[in-house]
Amino acid sequence: MDKQAISALAGRVMERLFVEMEASGRHVHLTEGQIMALFGHSLTPVKPLSQPGQYAAKERLTLVGPKGELQNVAVLGPARKEGQVELSLTDARTLGLTVPVRQSGDVQDSPGITLVGPLGRVILERGAIAAQRHIHLPPADAARFGVKDKQVVKLQTFTARPLVFDDVVVRVSPDFAPRVHLDYDEANACGFTPGDFGRIIP
Amino acid sequence: MDKQAISALAGRVMERLFVEMEASGRHVHLTEGQIMALFGHSLTPVKPLSQPGQYAAKERLTLVGPKGELQNVAVLGPARKEGQVELSLTDARTLGLTVPVRQSGDVQDSPGITLVGPLGRVILERGAIAAQRHIHLPPADAARFGVKDKQVVKLQTFTARPLVFDDVVVRVSPDFAPRVHLDYDEANACGFTPGDFGRIIP
């Protein structure tokens, strides 16, 4: 085999044993109505994300909390049924919010936050959370790793500052690409750089 | 035994099995000369730290990097032989610096940074680091946990987002109080709140 073939094979072996990791920065999900109120037009996709169908939009927002604001915050598409803001605990401290650690979409009793766009301002009554660290897996990968949807596992990181995360939620769907999602606090705590992998410990 | 005695006993048992954790925010160590150049007078101690003899000063600094600045940054005393700035990787990103993860005092080949005080400006040619997570132990505690100075251990956190940190350096000295020191990235990644404990895994 030539070098390129060996490298490709090594990549496929890695993907069978480990899961690629990604760091998610702070971002916002919006409803169609909120998108119109903030921008006056639909979102403009500029970058596909690793999860099929998901994208980063050209449009950006300012988040305003009781103690501070964060500018130029990413908006992800497509539109959802309820607006949601995913922050690191560092971001939450900057804004002056105490946010629960939750899975995406679970915004019950989470604090509100103000969104400012070029066209207007939207006050979310709730929706500011820290995303619980999680692993997206398609069913075949989940079966191979011996894990199920909603199972809580450990994840050993092969990173510059290695550690074993506990309390990592597995999410299984045929729509998913295999990826570990961390926030920037977690990514920095383990010294993550793009392309790093982790090992699931069921 | 009354409730107070039981609580005190429980506290002593905890301390024999676990080590109390602390989160260190970004901070600066300075030489006598740098202190004079920045403030025109010696540091004013305002808050003793957990490590005997160490204190937070009343004086505060602004850090300036290639891409941003951080204001109102803590200065710790007493003065040292060389200036040093301890940042989280989040802080380093804000400033536009790439900093190595090092033990305090190990500043070789680390990037420089500019310090701005009320009286002047000091340019450190080197000294910006992310502090490697570490555990201060007095010799009796180190012996009880079966660990030695400079040993690298794991630390299991009993926190809101539990995990096991790898690559935690043990530092042993009769001058130390037993404490785990994390930066804010690490503290947030494990959901630390003051009073939390960790377990050393040698």
Side-chain angles (χ1 to χ4, degrees), chain A residues 10-45:
Chain A
R12 288 199 300 277
V13 169
M14 280 295 285
E15 283 164 15
R16 290 188 77 86
L17 297 173
F18 306 102
V19 184
E20 190 172 339
M21 295 163 59
E22 285 181 336
S24 303
R26 67 186 77 108
H27 63 267
V28 180
H29 297 283
L30 298 169
T31 65
E32 289 289 3
Q34 290 163 350
I35 292 167
M36 286 300 153
L38 291 162
F39 304 110
H41 56 77
S42 297
L43 294 179
T44 316

Tab-separated table of all heavy atoms in Angstrom, chain A residues 10-45:
chain	number	residue	atom	x	y	z
A	10	ALA	N	-5.703	4.112	8.319
A	10	ALA	CA	-5.517	4.506	9.718
A	10	ALA	C	-6.688	5.373	10.181
A	10	ALA	O	-7.199	5.208	11.289
A	10	ALA	CB	-4.198	5.266	9.881
A	11	GLY	N	-7.137	6.274	9.296
A	11	GLY	CA	-8.279	7.128	9.626
A	11	GLY	C	-9.526	6.304	9.891
A	11	GLY	O	-10.252	6.553	10.848
A	12	ARG	N	-9.757	5.281	9.048
A	12	ARG	CA	-10.962	4.465	9.221
A	12	ARG	C	-10.882	3.622	10.492
A	12	ARG	O	-11.881	3.429	11.187
A	12	ARG	CB	-11.180	3.574	7.989
A	12	ARG	CG	-11.640	4.373	6.755
A	12	ARG	CD	-12.285	3.480	5.704
A	12	ARG	NE	-11.378	2.454	5.210
A	12	ARG	CZ	-10.466	2.648	4.246
A	12	ARG	NH1	-10.340	3.835	3.673
A	12	ARG	NH2	-9.692	1.674	3.857
A	13	VAL	N	-9.679	3.135	10.813
A	13	VAL	CA	-9.498	2.379	12.065
A	13	VAL	C	-9.768	3.282	13.266
A	13	VAL	O	-10.480	2.910	14.211
A	13	VAL	CB	-8.074	1.776	12.136
A	13	VAL	CG1	-7.805	1.222	13.537
A	13	VAL	CG2	-7.897	0.691	11.081
A	14	MET	N	-9.215	4.501	13.234
A	14	MET	CA	-9.439	5.472	14.317
A	14	MET	C	-10.936	5.674	14.549
A	14	MET	O	-11.417	5.662	15.681
A	14	MET	CB	-8.820	6.829	13.938
A	14	MET	CG	-7.329	6.949	14.135
A	14	MET	SD	-6.827	6.848	15.866
A	14	MET	CE	-7.335	8.490	16.447
A	15	GLU	N	-11.655	5.873	13.446
A	15	GLU	CA	-13.092	6.163	13.552
A	15	GLU	C	-13.890	4.988	14.099
A	15	GLU	O	-14.991	5.167	14.606
A	15	GLU	CB	-13.636	6.594	12.181
A	15	GLU	CG	-13.261	8.032	11.860
A	15	GLU	CD	-13.436	8.356	10.386
A	15	GLU	OE1	-14.106	7.579	9.676
A	15	GLU	OE2	-12.893	9.381	9.956
A	16	ARG	N	-13.350	3.794	13.961
A	16	ARG	CA	-14.051	2.632	14.512
A	16	ARG	C	-13.804	2.499	16.009
A	16	ARG	O	-14.623	1.939	16.725
A	16	ARG	CB	-13.629	1.345	13.786
A	16	ARG	CG	-14.146	1.290	12.353
A	16	ARG	CD	-13.879	-0.059	11.727
A	16	ARG	NE	-14.811	-1.071	12.189
A	16	ARG	CZ	-16.003	-1.287	11.649
A	16	ARG	NH1	-16.415	-0.577	10.635
A	16	ARG	NH2	-16.784	-2.226	12.118
A	17	LEU	N	-12.668	2.971	16.492
A	17	LEU	CA	-12.313	2.815	17.904
A	17	LEU	C	-12.651	4.058	18.735
A	17	LEU	O	-12.919	3.961	19.930
A	17	LEU	CB	-10.809	2.541	18.038
A	17	LEU	CG	-10.320	1.247	17.379
A	17	LEU	CD1	-8.802	1.172	17.440
A	17	LEU	CD2	-10.945	0.047	18.077
A	18	PHE	N	-12.610	5.196	18.072
A	18	PHE	CA	-12.739	6.464	18.800
A	18	PHE	C	-13.784	7.345	18.124
A	18	PHE	O	-14.255	7.030	17.039
A	18	PHE	CB	-11.385	7.188	18.808
A	18	PHE	CG	-10.267	6.340	19.324
A	18	PHE	CD1	-9.368	5.747	18.438
A	18	PHE	CD2	-10.126	6.090	20.671
A	18	PHE	CE1	-8.331	4.951	18.911
A	18	PHE	CE2	-9.094	5.288	21.153
A	18	PHE	CZ	-8.200	4.710	20.269
A	19	VAL	N	-14.134	8.434	18.779
A	19	VAL	CA	-15.078	9.400	18.198
A	19	VAL	C	-14.386	10.754	18.109
A	19	VAL	O	-13.741	11.192	19.081
A	19	VAL	CB	-16.362	9.526	19.047
A	19	VAL	CG1	-17.360	10.464	18.375
A	19	VAL	CG2	-16.997	8.163	19.267
A	20	GLU	N	-14.515	11.378	16.962
A	20	GLU	CA	-13.907	12.693	16.798
A	20	GLU	C	-14.602	13.705	17.696
A	20	GLU	O	-15.813	13.655	17.905
A	20	GLU	CB	-14.011	13.131	15.322
A	20	GLU	CG	-13.197	14.376	15.052
A	20	GLU	CD	-13.133	14.713	13.561
A	20	GLU	OE1	-13.364	13.808	12.724
A	20	GLU	OE2	-12.846	15.881	13.262
A	21	MET	N	-13.810	14.614	18.246
A	21	MET	CA	-14.337	15.613	19.174
A	21	MET	C	-14.447	16.967	18.470
A	21	MET	O	-13.657	17.287	17.594
A	21	MET	CB	-13.408	15.737	20.390
A	21	MET	CG	-13.350	14.468	21.234
A	21	MET	SD	-11.905	14.414	22.360
A	21	MET	CE	-12.181	15.892	23.329
A	22	GLU	N	-15.420	17.756	18.905
A	22	GLU	CA	-15.582	19.128	18.414
A	22	GLU	C	-15.924	20.037	19.587
A	22	GLU	O	-16.587	19.608	20.529
A	22	GLU	CB	-16.729	19.222	17.402
A	22	GLU	CG	-16.410	18.664	16.037
A	22	GLU	CD	-17.570	18.795	15.060
A	22	GLU	OE1	-18.734	18.894	15.497
A	22	GLU	OE2	-17.297	18.774	13.855
A	23	ALA	N	-15.466	21.275	19.515
A	23	ALA	CA	-15.827	22.274	20.522
A	23	ALA	C	-16.887	23.192	19.936
A	23	ALA	O	-16.711	23.719	18.844
A	23	ALA	CB	-14.597	23.081	20.920
A	24	SER	N	-17.991	23.349	20.659
A	24	SER	CA	-19.052	24.260	20.225
A	24	SER	C	-18.923	25.572	20.965
A	24	SER	O	-18.989	25.605	22.197
A	24	SER	CB	-20.441	23.677	20.543
A	24	SER	OG	-20.590	22.411	19.950
A	25	GLY	N	-18.773	26.646	20.225
A	25	GLY	CA	-18.790	27.971	20.849
A	25	GLY	C	-20.210	28.348	21.213
A	25	GLY	O	-21.177	27.653	20.848
A	26	ARG	N	-20.335	29.466	21.908
A	26	ARG	CA	-21.678	29.965	22.251
A	26	ARG	C	-22.472	30.167	20.965
A	26	ARG	O	-21.917	30.605	19.955
A	26	ARG	CB	-21.550	31.256	23.053
A	26	ARG	CG	-20.984	32.417	22.259
A	26	ARG	CD	-20.727	33.660	23.117
A	26	ARG	NE	-19.523	33.553	23.910
A	26	ARG	CZ	-18.396	34.244	23.671
A	26	ARG	NH1	-18.315	35.097	22.665
A	26	ARG	NH2	-17.337	34.095	24.445
A	27	HIS	N	-23.765	29.833	21.002
A	27	HIS	CA	-24.582	30.004	19.806
A	27	HIS	C	-26.056	30.090	20.161
A	27	HIS	O	-26.461	29.767	21.284
A	27	HIS	CB	-24.323	28.874	18.802
A	27	HIS	CG	-24.701	27.530	19.301
A	27	HIS	ND1	-23.816	26.692	19.936
A	27	HIS	CD2	-25.891	26.870	19.275
A	27	HIS	CE1	-24.436	25.573	20.267
A	27	HIS	NE2	-25.690	25.658	19.891
A	28	VAL	N	-26.827	30.497	19.172
A	28	VAL	CA	-28.252	30.749	19.363
A	28	VAL	C	-29.052	29.949	18.339
A	28	VAL	O	-28.648	29.855	17.177
A	28	VAL	CB	-28.543	32.260	19.171
A	28	VAL	CG1	-30.022	32.565	19.362
A	28	VAL	CG2	-27.692	33.098	20.119
A	29	HIS	N	-30.156	29.351	18.796
A	29	HIS	CA	-31.166	28.779	17.911
A	29	HIS	C	-32.397	29.677	17.992
A	29	HIS	O	-32.756	30.143	19.082
A	29	HIS	CB	-31.550	27.363	18.355
A	29	HIS	CG	-30.412	26.386	18.306
A	29	HIS	ND1	-29.948	25.827	17.140
A	29	HIS	CD2	-29.635	25.873	19.291
A	29	HIS	CE1	-28.942	25.002	17.401
A	29	HIS	NE2	-28.729	25.015	18.711
A	30	LEU	N	-33.060	29.898	16.856
A	30	LEU	CA	-34.178	30.835	16.807
A	30	LEU	C	-35.384	30.214	16.111
A	30	LEU	O	-35.243	29.311	15.284
A	30	LEU	CB	-33.766	32.087	16.021
A	30	LEU	CG	-32.614	32.917	16.602
A	30	LEU	CD1	-32.160	33.961	15.578
A	30	LEU	CD2	-33.039	33.591	17.895
A	31	THR	N	-36.572	30.746	16.419
A	31	THR	CA	-37.773	30.390	15.662
A	31	THR	C	-37.817	31.265	14.409
A	31	THR	O	-37.134	32.294	14.327
A	31	THR	CB	-39.047	30.668	16.484
A	31	THR	OG1	-39.151	32.082	16.698
A	31	THR	CG2	-39.009	29.974	17.836
A	32	GLU	N	-38.674	30.879	13.453
A	32	GLU	CA	-38.873	31.703	12.244
A	32	GLU	C	-39.285	33.123	12.624
A	32	GLU	O	-38.786	34.109	12.053
A	32	GLU	CB	-39.956	31.079	11.348
A	32	GLU	CG	-39.555	29.788	10.654
A	32	GLU	CD	-38.537	29.995	9.538
A	32	GLU	OE1	-38.079	31.136	9.329
A	32	GLU	OE2	-38.184	28.988	8.890
A	33	GLY	N	-40.200	33.226	13.581
A	33	GLY	CA	-40.683	34.553	13.997
A	33	GLY	C	-39.569	35.405	14.583
A	33	GLY	O	-39.463	36.607	14.297
A	34	GLN	N	-38.741	34.777	15.414
A	34	GLN	CA	-37.629	35.523	16.024
A	34	GLN	C	-36.627	35.955	14.953
A	34	GLN	O	-36.077	37.063	15.017
A	34	GLN	CB	-36.945	34.655	17.091
A	34	GLN	CG	-37.828	34.439	18.324
A	34	GLN	CD	-37.374	33.291	19.200
A	34	GLN	OE1	-36.494	32.490	18.828
A	34	GLN	NE2	-37.997	33.176	20.371
A	35	ILE	N	-36.385	35.079	13.985
A	35	ILE	CA	-35.454	35.423	12.896
A	35	ILE	C	-35.954	36.667	12.147
A	35	ILE	O	-35.191	37.602	11.888
A	35	ILE	CB	-35.288	34.224	11.933
A	35	ILE	CG1	-34.560	33.082	12.635
A	35	ILE	CG2	-34.542	34.632	10.654
A	35	ILE	CD1	-34.604	31.745	11.906
A	36	MET	N	-37.248	36.692	11.851
A	36	MET	CA	-37.822	37.846	11.145
A	36	MET	C	-37.715	39.114	11.991
A	36	MET	O	-37.368	40.180	11.489
A	36	MET	CB	-39.292	37.570	10.798
A	36	MET	CG	-39.468	36.577	9.654
A	36	MET	SD	-38.684	37.179	8.123
A	36	MET	CE	-38.312	35.631	7.306
A	37	ALA	N	-38.029	38.985	13.292
A	37	ALA	CA	-37.996	40.159	14.172
A	37	ALA	C	-36.579	40.725	14.299
A	37	ALA	O	-36.379	41.936	14.400
A	37	ALA	CB	-38.544	39.787	15.549
A	38	LEU	N	-35.588	39.844	14.276
A	38	LEU	CA	-34.206	40.291	14.501
A	38	LEU	C	-33.526	40.751	13.211
A	38	LEU	O	-32.722	41.684	13.227
A	38	LEU	CB	-33.388	39.142	15.115
A	38	LEU	CG	-33.769	38.773	16.558
A	38	LEU	CD1	-33.245	37.387	16.899
A	38	LEU	CD2	-33.214	39.815	17.531
A	39	PHE	N	-33.838	40.051	12.096
A	39	PHE	CA	-33.069	40.293	10.869
A	39	PHE	C	-33.943	40.744	9.689
A	39	PHE	O	-33.418	41.279	8.708
A	39	PHE	CB	-32.313	39.020	10.451
A	39	PHE	CG	-31.412	38.489	11.531
A	39	PHE	CD1	-31.705	37.302	12.190
A	39	PHE	CD2	-30.274	39.200	11.908
A	39	PHE	CE1	-30.887	36.819	13.195
A	39	PHE	CE2	-29.453	38.713	12.917
A	39	PHE	CZ	-29.759	37.522	13.558
A	40	GLY	N	-35.258	40.478	9.739
A	40	GLY	CA	-36.135	40.884	8.649
A	40	GLY	C	-36.099	39.970	7.438
A	40	GLY	O	-36.747	40.237	6.431
A	41	HIS	N	-35.309	38.899	7.523
A	41	HIS	CA	-35.237	37.930	6.418
A	41	HIS	C	-34.771	36.593	6.988
A	41	HIS	O	-34.298	36.532	8.138
A	41	HIS	CB	-34.275	38.416	5.329
A	41	HIS	CG	-32.886	38.700	5.849
A	41	HIS	ND1	-31.965	37.721	6.139
A	41	HIS	CD2	-32.299	39.881	6.170
A	41	HIS	CE1	-30.857	38.278	6.591
A	41	HIS	NE2	-31.024	39.581	6.632
A	42	SER	N	-34.876	35.548	6.177
A	42	SER	CA	-34.450	34.217	6.629
A	42	SER	C	-32.941	34.173	6.860
A	42	SER	O	-32.203	35.040	6.384
A	42	SER	CB	-34.808	33.162	5.572
A	42	SER	OG	-36.202	33.119	5.413
A	43	LEU	N	-32.498	33.149	7.576
A	43	LEU	CA	-31.063	32.970	7.815
A	43	LEU	C	-30.343	32.653	6.508
A	43	LEU	O	-30.881	31.982	5.627
A	43	LEU	CB	-30.830	31.830	8.811
A	43	LEU	CG	-31.336	32.065	10.236
A	43	LEU	CD1	-31.052	30.825	11.097
A	43	LEU	CD2	-30.689	33.305	10.861
A	44	THR	N	-29.107	33.120	6.423
A	44	THR	CA	-28.254	32.867	5.261
A	44	THR	C	-27.207	31.830	5.645
A	44	THR	O	-26.285	32.140	6.396
A	44	THR	CB	-27.526	34.170	4.851
A	44	THR	OG1	-28.451	35.249	4.878
A	44	THR	CG2	-26.874	34.019	3.485
A	45	PRO	N	-27.343	30.586	5.172
A	45	PRO	CA	-26.350	29.565	5.549
A	45	PRO	C	-24.978	29.922	4.980
A	45	PRO	O	-24.877	30.295	3.810
A	45	PRO	CB	-26.884	28.286	4.892
A	45	PRO	CG	-28.312	28.570	4.561
A	45	PRO	CD	-28.390	30.037	4.301
